[in-house]
Coordinates of all heavy atoms in Angstrom, one line a residue:
A1 N 76.5 110.6 90.7 CA 77.0 109.4 89.9 C 76.8 109.7 88.4 O 75.9 110.4 88.0 CB 76.3 108.2 90.3
H2 N 77.7 109.2 87.7 CA 77.6 109.3 86.2 C 76.4 108.6 85.7 O 76.1 107.5 86.1 CB 78.9 108.7 85.6 CG 79.0 108.9 84.2 ND1 78.4 108.1 83.3 CD2 79.6 109.9 83.4 CE1 78.6 108.5 82.0 NE2 79.4 109.6 82.1
P3 N 75.6 109.2 84.8 CA 74.4 108.6 84.3 C 74.5 107.3 83.7 O 73.6 106.4 83.8 CB 73.8 109.6 83.3 CG 74.8 110.7 83.1 CD 75.9 110.5 84.2
G4 N 75.7 107.0 83.2 CA 75.9 105.7 82.5 C 76.3 104.6 83.5 O 76.4 103.4 83.1
W5 N 76.7 104.9 84.7 CA 77.2 103.9 85.7 C 76.2 102.9 86.0 O 76.6 101.7 86.2 CB 77.8 104.6 86.9 CG 79.1 105.3 86.7 CD1 79.3 106.6 86.6 CD2 80.3 104.7 86.5 NE1 80.6 106.9 86.4 CE2 81.3 105.7 86.3 CE3 80.8 103.3 86.5 CZ2 82.6 105.4 86.1 CZ3 82.1 103.1 86.3 CH2 83.0 104.1 86.1
S6 N 75.0 103.2 86.2 CA 74.0 102.2 86.7 C 74.0 101.0 85.7 O 73.9 99.9 86.2 CB 72.7 102.8 86.9 OG 72.2 103.3 85.7
G7 N 74.0 101.2 84.4 CA 74.0 100.1 83.5 C 75.2 99.3 83.6 O 75.2 98.1 83.5
V8 N 76.4 100.0 83.7 CA 77.6 99.2 83.8 C 77.7 98.4 85.1 O 78.0 97.2 85.1 CB 78.8 100.2 83.8 CG1 80.1 99.5 84.0 CG2 78.9 100.9 82.4
V9 N 77.3 99.0 86.2 CA 77.4 98.3 87.5 C 76.4 97.2 87.5 O 76.7 96.1 87.9 CB 77.0 99.3 88.7 CG1 76.9 98.6 90.0 CG2 78.2 100.4 88.8
G10 N 75.2 97.4 87.0 CA 74.2 96.4 86.9 C 74.6 95.2 86.1 O 74.5 94.0 86.4
T11 N 75.3 95.5 84.9 CA 75.8 94.4 84.1 C 76.9 93.7 84.8 O 76.9 92.4 84.7 CB 76.4 95.0 82.7 OG1 75.3 95.7 82.1 CG2 76.9 94.0 81.8
G12 N 77.8 94.4 85.5 CA 78.9 93.7 86.2 C 78.4 92.8 87.3 O 78.8 91.7 87.5
L13 N 77.3 93.3 88.0 CA 76.8 92.5 89.1 C 76.1 91.3 88.6 O 76.2 90.2 89.1 CB 75.8 93.3 89.9 CG 76.4 94.4 90.8 CD1 75.3 95.3 91.4 CD2 77.4 93.9 91.8
R14 N 75.4 91.4 87.4 CA 74.7 90.2 86.9 C 75.8 89.2 86.4 O 75.6 88.0 86.6 CB 73.8 90.6 85.7 CG 72.5 91.2 86.1 CD 71.5 91.4 84.9 NE 72.0 92.3 83.9 CZ 71.9 93.6 84.0 NH1 71.3 94.2 85.0 NH2 72.3 94.4 83.0
A15 N 76.8 89.7 85.8 CA 77.9 88.8 85.3 C 78.6 88.1 86.5 O 78.8 86.9 86.5 CB 78.9 89.6 84.5
A16 N 78.8 88.9 87.6 CA 79.4 88.3 88.8 C 78.5 87.2 89.4 O 79.0 86.2 89.9 CB 79.8 89.4 89.8
A17 N 77.2 87.5 89.4 CA 76.3 86.5 90.0 C 76.3 85.2 89.3 O 75.9 84.2 89.8 CB 74.9 87.1 90.1
Q18 N 76.7 85.2 88.0 CA 76.6 84.0 87.2 C 77.9 83.2 87.4 O 78.0 82.0 86.9 CB 76.4 84.3 85.8 CG 75.1 84.9 85.5 CD 74.9 85.5 84.1 OE1 75.9 85.4 83.3 NE2 73.8 86.0 83.7
Q19 N 78.9 83.7 88.1 CA 80.2 83.0 88.3 C 80.2 82.3 89.6 O 79.6 82.8 90.6 CB 81.3 84.0 88.3 CG 81.5 84.8 87.0 CD 81.8 83.9 85.8 OE1 82.6 83.0 85.9 NE2 81.1 84.1 84.7
P20 N 80.8 81.1 89.7 CA 80.9 80.5 91.0 C 81.7 81.2 92.0 O 82.7 81.9 91.6 CB 81.5 79.1 90.6 CG 82.2 79.3 89.4 CD 81.5 80.4 88.6
L21 N 81.4 81.1 93.2 CA 82.2 81.8 94.3 C 83.5 81.0 94.5 O 83.4 79.8 94.6 CB 81.4 81.8 95.6 CG 82.1 82.3 96.8 CD1 82.4 83.8 96.7 CD2 81.2 82.0 98.1
R22 N 84.6 81.7 94.4 CA 85.9 81.0 94.6 C 86.6 81.6 95.8 O 86.9 82.8 95.8 CB 86.7 81.2 93.3 CG 86.2 80.3 92.2 CD 87.1 80.4 91.0 NE 86.7 79.5 89.9 CZ 85.8 79.8 89.0 NH1 85.2 81.0 89.0 NH2 85.4 78.9 88.1
L23 N 86.8 80.8 96.8 CA 87.6 81.2 98.0 C 88.9 80.4 98.0 O 88.9 79.2 98.2 CB 86.7 80.9 99.2 CG 85.4 81.6 99.3 CD1 84.6 81.0 100.5 CD2 85.5 83.1 99.4
R24 N 90.0 81.2 97.9 CA 91.3 80.5 97.9 C 92.2 81.2 98.9 O 92.1 82.3 99.2 CB 91.9 80.6 96.5 CG 91.1 79.8 95.5 CD 91.9 79.7 94.2 NE 91.2 78.8 93.3 CZ 90.4 79.2 92.3 NH1 90.1 80.5 92.2 NH2 89.8 78.4 91.5
G25 N 93.2 80.4 99.4 CA 94.2 80.9 100.3 C 93.7 81.2 101.7 O 92.6 80.9 102.0
G26 N 94.6 81.7 102.5 CA 94.3 82.0 103.9 C 93.1 82.9 104.1 O 92.2 82.7 104.9
D27 N 93.0 83.9 103.2 CA 91.9 84.9 103.3 C 90.6 84.2 103.0 O 89.5 84.5 103.6 CB 92.1 86.1 102.4 CG 93.2 87.0 102.8 OD1 93.6 86.9 104.0 OD2 93.7 87.7 102.0
G28 N 90.6 83.2 102.1 CA 89.4 82.5 101.7 C 88.9 81.6 102.9 O 87.7 81.5 103.1
Y29 N 89.8 81.1 103.7 CA 89.4 80.3 104.8 C 88.7 81.2 105.9 O 87.7 80.8 106.4 CB 90.6 79.6 105.5 CG 91.1 78.4 104.7 CD1 91.6 78.5 103.4 CD2 91.2 77.2 105.4 CE1 92.1 77.4 102.8 CE2 91.6 76.1 104.7 CZ 92.0 76.2 103.4 OH 92.5 75.1 102.7
M30 N 89.3 82.3 106.1 CA 88.6 83.2 107.1 C 87.3 83.8 106.5 O 86.3 83.9 107.3 CB 89.6 84.4 107.4 CG 89.1 85.2 108.6 SD 89.1 84.3 110.1 CE 88.1 85.3 111.1
A31 N 87.3 84.0 105.2 CA 86.0 84.5 104.6 C 84.9 83.5 104.7 O 83.8 83.8 105.0 CB 86.3 84.9 103.2
A32 N 85.3 82.2 104.5 CA 84.3 81.1 104.7 C 83.8 81.0 106.1 O 82.7 80.8 106.4 CB 85.0 79.8 104.2
Y33 N 84.7 81.2 107.1 CA 84.3 81.2 108.5 C 83.3 82.3 108.7 O 82.3 82.1 109.4 CB 85.6 81.3 109.4 CG 85.2 81.4 110.9 CD1 84.9 80.3 111.6 CD2 85.0 82.7 111.5 CE1 84.5 80.4 112.9 CE2 84.6 82.8 112.8 CZ 84.4 81.6 113.5 OH 84.0 81.7 114.8
I34 N 83.6 83.5 108.3 CA 82.7 84.7 108.5 C 81.4 84.4 107.8 O 80.4 84.7 108.4 CB 83.4 86.0 108.0 CG1 84.6 86.3 109.0 CG2 82.4 87.1 108.0 CD1 85.5 87.4 108.6
L35 N 81.4 83.8 106.6 CA 80.2 83.5 105.9 C 79.3 82.6 106.7 O 78.1 82.7 106.8 CB 80.4 82.9 104.5 CG 80.9 83.9 103.5 CD1 81.3 83.2 102.2 CD2 79.8 84.9 103.1
A36 N 80.0 81.6 107.4 CA 79.2 80.6 108.2 C 78.6 81.4 109.4 O 77.4 81.1 109.7 CB 80.2 79.5 108.7
R37 N 79.4 82.3 110.0 CA 78.8 83.0 111.1 C 77.7 83.9 110.7 O 76.6 84.0 111.4 CB 79.9 83.9 111.7 CG 81.0 83.2 112.5 CD 80.6 82.8 113.9 NE 80.3 83.9 114.8 CZ 81.1 84.5 115.6 NH1 82.4 84.1 115.7 NH2 80.7 85.5 116.4
M38 N 77.8 84.6 109.6 CA 76.8 85.5 109.1 C 75.6 84.7 108.6 O 74.4 85.2 108.6 CB 77.3 86.3 107.9 CG 78.4 87.3 108.3 SD 79.1 88.2 107.0 CE 77.7 89.3 106.6
G39 N 75.8 83.4 108.3 CA 74.7 82.5 107.9 C 73.9 81.9 109.1 O 73.0 81.1 108.9
G40 N 74.3 82.3 110.3 CA 73.6 81.9 111.5 C 74.3 80.8 112.4 O 73.7 80.4 113.4
K41 N 75.5 80.4 112.0 CA 76.2 79.5 112.9 C 77.0 80.3 113.9 O 77.9 81.0 113.6 CB 77.2 78.7 112.0 CG 76.6 77.9 110.9 CD 76.1 76.6 111.5 CE 75.6 75.7 110.3 NZ 75.1 74.4 110.8
D42 N 76.6 80.2 115.2 CA 77.3 80.9 116.2 C 78.7 80.4 116.5 O 79.6 81.2 116.8 CB 76.5 80.8 117.6 CG 75.2 81.6 117.5 OD1 75.2 82.6 116.7 OD2 74.3 81.2 118.2
E43 N 78.9 79.1 116.3 CA 80.2 78.5 116.4 C 80.4 77.5 115.3 O 80.2 76.3 115.5 CB 80.4 77.9 117.8 CG 80.4 78.9 118.9 CD 81.0 78.4 120.2 OE1 81.3 77.2 120.3 OE2 81.2 79.2 121.1
P44 N 80.8 77.9 114.1 CA 81.0 77.0 113.0 C 82.0 75.9 113.3 O 83.0 76.1 114.0 CB 81.5 77.9 111.9 CG 81.1 79.3 112.3 CD 81.1 79.3 113.8
T45 N 81.7 74.7 112.8 CA 82.6 73.6 112.9 C 83.5 73.6 111.7 O 83.3 74.3 110.7 CB 81.8 72.3 113.0 OG1 81.1 72.1 111.7 CG2 80.8 72.3 114.1
V46 N 84.5 72.7 111.8 CA 85.4 72.5 110.6 C 84.6 72.1 109.4 O 84.8 72.6 108.3 CB 86.5 71.4 111.0 CG1 87.2 71.0 109.7 CG2 87.4 72.0 112.0
E47 N 83.6 71.2 109.6 CA 82.7 70.8 108.5 C 81.9 71.9 107.9 O 81.7 71.9 106.7 CB 81.8 69.6 109.0 CG 82.5 68.3 109.1 CD 83.2 67.8 107.8 OE1 82.6 67.9 106.7 OE2 84.4 67.4 107.9
D48 N 81.4 72.8 108.7 CA 80.6 73.9 108.2 C 81.5 74.8 107.3 O 81.1 75.1 106.2 CB 80.2 74.8 109.4 CG 79.1 74.2 110.3 OD1 78.4 73.3 109.8 OD2 79.1 74.5 111.5
V49 N 82.7 75.1 107.7 CA 83.6 75.9 106.9 C 84.1 75.2 105.7 O 84.1 75.7 104.6 CB 84.8 76.4 107.8 CG1 85.8 77.2 106.9 CG2 84.3 77.2 109.0
K50 N 84.4 73.9 105.9 CA 84.8 73.1 104.7 C 83.7 73.0 103.6 O 84.0 73.1 102.5 CB 85.1 71.7 105.2 CG 85.7 70.8 104.1 CD 86.0 69.4 104.7 CE 86.5 68.5 103.6 NZ 86.7 67.1 104.0
E51 N 82.5 72.9 104.0 CA 81.3 72.9 103.1 C 81.3 74.2 102.3 O 81.1 74.1 101.0 CB 80.0 72.7 103.8 CG 78.8 72.5 103.0 CD 77.6 72.3 103.8 OE1 77.6 71.7 104.9 OE2 76.5 72.7 103.3
I52 N 81.5 75.3 102.9 CA 81.5 76.6 102.2 C 82.7 76.6 101.2 O 82.5 77.0 100.1 CB 81.6 77.8 103.2 CG1 80.2 77.8 103.9 CG2 81.8 79.1 102.4 CD1 80.2 78.8 105.1
L53 N 83.9 76.2 101.7 CA 85.0 76.2 100.8 C 84.8 75.3 99.6 O 85.2 75.6 98.5 CB 86.3 75.8 101.6 CG 86.8 76.8 102.6 CD1 87.8 76.2 103.5 CD2 87.3 78.1 101.9
E54 N 84.2 74.1 99.8 CA 84.0 73.2 98.7 C 83.0 73.8 97.7 O 83.2 73.6 96.5 CB 83.4 71.9 99.3 CG 84.5 71.0 100.0 CD 83.9 69.8 100.7 OE1 82.7 69.8 101.0 OE2 84.7 68.9 101.0
S55 N 82.0 74.5 98.2 CA 81.0 75.1 97.3 C 81.7 76.2 96.5 O 81.3 76.5 95.4 CB 79.8 75.7 98.0 OG 80.2 76.8 98.8
G56 N 82.8 76.8 97.0 CA 83.5 77.8 96.3 C 84.7 77.3 95.5 O 85.6 78.0 95.0
E57 N 84.7 75.9 95.3 CA 85.7 75.3 94.4 C 87.1 75.5 94.9 O 88.1 75.7 94.2 CB 85.6 75.7 93.0 CG 84.2 75.4 92.4 CD 84.1 75.8 90.9 OE1 85.1 76.3 90.4 OE2 83.0 75.6 90.4
T58 N 87.3 75.5 96.3 CA 88.7 75.7 96.8 C 89.4 74.4 96.7 O 88.9 73.4 97.2 CB 88.6 76.1 98.3 OG1 87.8 77.3 98.4 CG2 90.0 76.3 98.9
P59 N 90.6 74.4 96.1 CA 91.3 73.1 95.9 C 92.1 72.8 97.2 O 92.5 73.7 98.0 CB 92.3 73.4 94.8 CG 92.5 74.9 94.8 CD 91.2 75.5 95.4
D60 N 92.3 71.5 97.4 CA 93.2 71.1 98.5 C 92.9 71.7 99.9 O 93.7 72.5 100.5 CB 94.7 71.3 98.2 CG 95.1 70.7 96.9 OD1 94.6 69.6 96.6 OD2 95.8 71.3 96.1
I61 N 91.7 71.5 100.4 CA 91.3 72.1 101.6 C 92.1 71.5 102.8 O 92.2 70.3 102.9 CB 89.8 71.9 101.8 CG1 89.0 72.7 100.7 CG2 89.3 72.4 103.2 CD1 87.5 72.4 100.7
D62 N 92.6 72.4 103.6 CA 93.4 72.1 104.8 C 92.6 72.1 106.0 O 92.3 73.2 106.6 CB 94.6 73.0 104.9 CG 95.6 72.7 106.0 OD1 95.2 71.9 106.9 OD2 96.7 73.3 106.0
E63 N 92.1 70.9 106.5 CA 91.2 70.9 107.7 C 91.9 71.4 109.0 O 91.3 71.9 109.8 CB 90.6 69.5 107.9 CG 89.7 69.1 106.7 CD 89.0 67.8 107.0 OE1 88.8 67.4 108.1 OE2 88.5 67.2 106.0
E64 N 93.2 71.2 109.1 CA 94.0 71.7 110.2 C 93.9 73.2 110.3 O 93.8 73.8 111.4 CB 95.4 71.2 110.2 CG 95.5 69.7 110.5 CD 96.9 69.2 110.5 OE1 97.9 70.0 110.8 OE2 97.1 68.0 110.4
R65 N 94.1 73.8 109.1 CA 94.0 75.3 109.1 C 92.6 75.8 109.5 O 92.5 76.8 110.2 CB 94.3 75.7 107.7 CG 94.4 77.2 107.5 CD 94.7 77.5 106.0 NE 95.7 78.6 106.0 CZ 96.4 78.9 104.9 NH1 96.1 78.3 103.8 NH2 97.2 79.9 104.9
I66 N 91.6 75.1 109.0 CA 90.2 75.4 109.4 C 90.1 75.3 110.9 O 89.5 76.2 111.6 CB 89.2 74.6 108.7 CG1 89.2 74.8 107.2 CG2 87.8 74.9 109.2 CD1 88.4 73.8 106.4
A67 N 90.6 74.2 111.5 CA 90.5 74.0 112.9 C 91.1 75.1 113.7 O 90.6 75.5 114.7 CB 91.1 72.6 113.3
K68 N 92.3 75.6 113.2 CA 92.9 76.7 113.9 C 92.1 77.9 113.9 O 92.0 78.7 114.9 CB 94.3 77.0 113.3 CG 95.3 76.0 113.6 CD 96.6 76.3 112.9 CE 97.7 75.2 113.1 NZ 98.9 75.5 112.4
I69 N 91.4 78.2 112.8 CA 90.5 79.3 112.7 C 89.3 79.2 113.6 O 89.0 80.1 114.4 CB 90.1 79.6 111.2 CG1 91.3 80.0 110.4 CG2 88.9 80.6 111.1 CD1 91.0 80.1 108.9
T70 N 88.6 78.0 113.5 CA 87.5 77.8 114.4 C 87.8 77.9 115.9 O 87.1 78.5 116.7 CB 86.7 76.5 114.0 OG1 87.6 75.4 114.2 CG2 86.1 76.6 112.6
D71 N 88.9 77.2 116.2 CA 89.4 77.2 117.6 C 89.7 78.7 118.1 O 89.4 79.0 119.2 CB 90.6 76.4 117.8 CG 90.3 74.9 117.7 OD1 89.1 74.5 117.6 OD2 91.3 74.1 117.5
G72 N 90.3 79.4 117.3 CA 90.7 80.8 117.6 C 89.6 81.8 117.6 O 89.7 82.9 118.2
C73 N 88.6 81.5 116.8 CA 87.5 82.5 116.5 C 86.2 82.3 117.2 O 85.5 83.2 117.5 CB 87.3 82.7 115.0 SG 88.7 83.4 114.2
N74 N 85.9 81.0 117.4 CA 84.6 80.7 118.1 C 84.6 81.3 119.5 O 85.6 81.2 120.2 CB 84.4 79.2 118.1 CG 83.9 78.6 116.8 OD1 83.5 79.3 115.9 ND2 83.9 77.3 116.7
G75 N 83.5 81.9 119.8 CA 83.3 82.5 121.1 C 83.7 84.0 121.1 O 83.5 84.7 122.1
R76 N 84.2 84.5 120.0 CA 84.6 85.9 119.9 C 83.5 86.6 119.0 O 82.9 86.0 118.2 CB 86.0 86.0 119.2 CG 87.1 85.4 120.1 CD 88.4 85.4 119.4 NE 88.9 86.7 119.2 CZ 90.1 87.0 118.6 NH1 90.8 86.0 118.1 NH2 90.5 88.2 118.5
E77 N 83.4 87.9 119.3 CA 82.4 88.7 118.5 C 82.8 88.8 117.1 O 84.0 89.1 116.8 CB 82.2 90.1 119.2 CG 81.6 90.0 120.6 CD 80.1 89.6 120.5 OE1 79.4 89.9 119.6 OE2 79.7 88.9 121.4
L78 N 81.9 88.7 116.2 CA 82.1 88.8 114.8 C 82.7 90.2 114.4 O 83.6 90.3 113.6 CB 80.9 88.5 113.9 CG 81.1 88.4 112.4 CD1 82.1 87.3 112.1 CD2 79.7 88.0 111.8
D79 N 82.2 91.3 115.0 CA 82.6 92.6 114.8 C 84.1 92.7 115.1 O 84.9 93.4 114.4 CB 81.9 93.6 115.6 CG 80.4 93.8 115.1 OD1 80.1 93.3 114.0 OD2 79.6 94.4 115.9
E80 N 84.5 92.1 116.2 CA 85.9 92.1 116.6 C 86.8 91.4 115.6 O 87.9 91.9 115.3 CB 86.1 91.4 118.0 CG 87.5 91.2 118.5 CD 87.6 90.3 119.7 OE1 86.6 89.8 120.2 OE2 88.8 90.0 120.0
L81 N 86.4 90.3 115.1 CA 87.2 89.6 114.1 C 87.3 90.4 112.8 O 88.4 90.4 112.2 CB 86.5 88.2 113.8 CG 86.4 87.2 115.0 CD1 85.6 86.0 114.6 CD2 87.8 86.8 115.5
I82 N 86.2 91.0 112.4 CA 86.3 91.8 111.2 C 87.2 93.0 111.4 O 88.0 93.3 110.5 CB 84.9 92.2 110.7 CG1 84.1 91.0 110.3 CG2 84.9 93.3 109.6 CD1 82.6 91.2 110.1
Q83 N 87.1 93.6 112.5 CA 88.0 94.8 112.8 C 89.5 94.4 112.8 O 90.3 95.1 112.2 CB 87.6 95.5 114.1 CG 88.4 96.7 114.4 CD 88.3 97.8 113.4 OE1 87.2 98.0 112.9 NE2 89.4 98.5 113.1
K84 N 89.8 93.2 113.4 CA 91.2 92.8 113.4 C 91.6 92.5 112.0 O 92.8 92.7 111.6 CB 91.3 91.5 114.3 CG 91.3 91.8 115.7 CD 91.7 90.7 116.6 CE 91.7 91.0 118.0 NZ 92.8 91.8 118.5
G85 N 90.7 92.0 111.1 CA 91.1 91.7 109.7 C 91.4 93.0 109.0 O 92.3 93.1 108.2
I86 N 90.6 94.0 109.2 CA 90.8 95.3 108.6 C 92.1 95.9 109.0 O 92.9 96.4 108.2 CB 89.6 96.3 109.0 CG1 88.3 95.8 108.3 CG2 90.0 97.7 108.6 CD1 87.1 96.6 108.8
E87 N 92.4 95.8 110.3 CA 93.7 96.3 110.8 C 94.9 95.6 110.2 O 95.9 96.2 109.8 CB 93.7 96.2 112.4 CG 92.8 97.2 113.1 CD 92.6 96.9 114.5 OE1 93.3 96.0 115.1 OE2 91.8 97.6 115.2
K88 N 94.8 94.3 110.1 CA 95.8 93.5 109.5 C 96.0 93.9 108.0 O 97.1 94.0 107.6 CB 95.5 92.0 109.6 CG 96.6 91.1 109.1 CD 96.3 89.6 109.3 CE 97.4 88.7 108.8 NZ 97.1 87.3 109.0
G89 N 94.9 94.1 107.3 CA 95.0 94.5 105.9 C 95.7 95.9 105.8 O 96.5 96.1 104.9
E90 N 95.4 96.8 106.7 CA 96.0 98.1 106.7 C 97.5 98.0 107.0 O 98.3 98.7 106.3 CB 95.3 99.0 107.7 CG 93.9 99.4 107.3 CD 93.2 100.2 108.4 OE1 93.6 100.2 109.5 OE2 92.1 100.7 108.1
E91 N 97.9 97.1 107.9 CA 99.3 96.9 108.2 C 100.0 96.3 107.0 O 101.1 96.8 106.7 CB 99.5 95.9 109.4 CG 99.1 96.5 110.7 CD 99.1 95.4 111.8 OE1 99.5 94.3 111.6 OE2 98.6 95.7 112.9
M92 N 99.4 95.4 106.3 CA 100.0 94.8 105.1 C 100.1 95.9 104.0 O 101.2 95.9 103.3 CB 99.2 93.6 104.6 CG 99.3 92.4 105.5 SD 98.3 91.0 105.0 CE 99.1 90.6 103.5
E93 N 99.1 96.7 103.9 CA 99.2 97.8 102.8 C 100.3 98.7 103.1 O 101.0 99.1 102.2 CB 97.8 98.5 102.9 CG 97.7 99.5 101.8 CD 96.3 100.2 101.8 OE1 95.3 99.5 101.9 OE2 96.3 101.4 101.6
Q94 N 100.5 99.1 104.4 CA 101.6 100.0 104.7 C 103.0 99.3 104.5 O 103.9 100.0 104.0 CB 101.5 100.4 106.2 CG 100.3 101.3 106.5 CD 100.1 101.6 108.0 OE1 100.8 101.0 108.8 NE2 99.1 102.4 108.3
A95 N 103.1 98.0 104.8 CA 104.3 97.3 104.5 C 104.6 97.2 103.0 O 105.8 97.4 102.6 CB 104.2 95.9 105.1
F96 N 103.6 97.0 102.2 CA 103.8 97.0 100.8 C 104.2 98.3 100.2 O 105.1 98.5 99.4 CB 102.6 96.5 100.0 CG 102.3 95.0 100.2 CD1 101.0 94.5 100.5 CD2 103.3 94.1 100.0 CE1 100.8 93.2 100.6 CE2 103.1 92.7 100.2 CZ 101.8 92.3 100.5
A97 N 103.6 99.4 100.8 CA 104.0 100.7 100.4 C 105.4 101.1 100.7 O 106.1 101.6 99.9 CB 103.0 101.8 101.0
S98 N 105.8 100.7 101.9 CA 107.2 100.9 102.3 C 108.2 100.1 101.5 O 109.2 100.7 101.0 CB 107.4 100.5 103.8 OG 106.6 101.3 104.7
A99 N 107.9 98.9 101.2 CA 108.7 98.1 100.3 C 108.8 98.7 98.9 O 109.9 98.7 98.3 CB 108.2 96.6 100.3
S100 N 107.7 99.2 98.4 CA 107.7 99.8 97.1 C 108.6 101.0 97.1 O 109.3 101.2 96.1 CB 106.2 100.2 96.7 OG 106.2 100.8 95.5
R101 N 108.5 101.9 98.1 CA 109.4 103.0 98.2 C 110.8 102.7 98.2 O 111.7 103.3 97.6 CB 109.0 103.9 99.4 CG 107.7 104.7 99.2 CD 107.5 105.8 100.3 NE 107.4 105.2 101.6 CZ 106.3 104.8 102.2 NH1 105.1 104.9 101.5 NH2 106.2 104.3 103.4
L102 N 111.1 101.6 99.0 CA 112.5 101.2 99.1 C 113.0 100.7 97.7 O 114.1 100.9 97.3 CB 112.7 100.1 100.1 CG 112.6 100.5 101.6 CD1 112.6 99.3 102.5 CD2 113.7 101.4 101.9
G103 N 112.1 100.0 97.0 CA 112.5 99.4 95.7 C 112.7 100.5 94.7 O 113.4 100.4 93.7
Q104 N 112.1 101.7 94.9 CA 112.2 102.8 94.0 C 113.3 103.8 94.4 O 113.5 104.8 93.9 CB 110.9 103.6 93.9 CG 109.8 102.8 93.3 CD 108.4 103.5 93.4 OE1 108.3 104.6 94.0 NE2 107.4 102.9 92.9
G105 N 114.1 103.3 95.5 CA 115.2 104.2 95.9 C 114.7 105.3 96.8 O 115.5 106.3 97.0
G106 N 113.5 105.2 97.4 CA 113.0 106.3 98.2 C 112.8 106.0 99.5 O 113.0 106.0 100.6

């Protein structure tokens, strides 16, 4: 590692720790669910996830969307959910790359 990186990284982490956690959009809902699971809730409720989203200053929280996530994810292994999220992210990345190539005429 570069000798100067530790100071930069340390400064960045301190600055990030002083900012409020903001969870927005669909990914924010799933992230809040995973945070609840990692925090010890085996089967988070809509209220558990909503509380995390509220602490992250998420505007216009959709409780029906949370219910779909809790209904679909409770009872499943956390590792499985995270792996599916990684796979979905990789699929989206490939789709964006393909669209970018098409846009560039390639």
Side-chain angles (χ1 to χ4, degrees):
H2 186 277
W5 283 107
S6 62
V8 173
V9 172
T11 301
L13 291 175
R14 281 191 298 278
Q18 295 173 358
Q19 300 297 317
L21 175 67
R22 289 186 174 84
L23 300 172
R24 293 192 173 95
D27 291 341
Y29 282 62
M30 190 64 196
Y33 175 84
I34 290 172
L35 285 171
R37 289 281 300 267
M38 292 175 73
K41 301 276 185 176
D42 291 332
E43 294 198 351
T45 65
V46 170
E47 285 302 313
D48 294 329
V49 176
K50 184 178 176 184
E51 183 177 332
I52 292 170
L53 290 167
E54 287 172 341
S55 73
E57 300 180 3
T58 302
D60 306 320
I61 295 171
D62 183 347
E63 290 187 27
E64 288 181 24
R65 184 181 224 168
I66 298 171
K68 287 180 184 177
I69 291 172
T70 57
D71 291 347
C73 295
N74 282 347
R76 295 172 70 184
E77 292 294 322
L78 189 55
D79 292 346
E80 173 192 355
L81 297 173
I82 293 171
Q83 183 60 39
K84 286 192 180 285
I86 291 169
E87 291 168 4
K88 184 176 180 180
E90 289 171 351
E91 289 172 11
M92 290 177 65
E93 186 176 316
Q94 291 172 357
F96 287 134
S98 295
S100 177
R101 283 192 298 273
L102 287 174
Q104 295 173 358

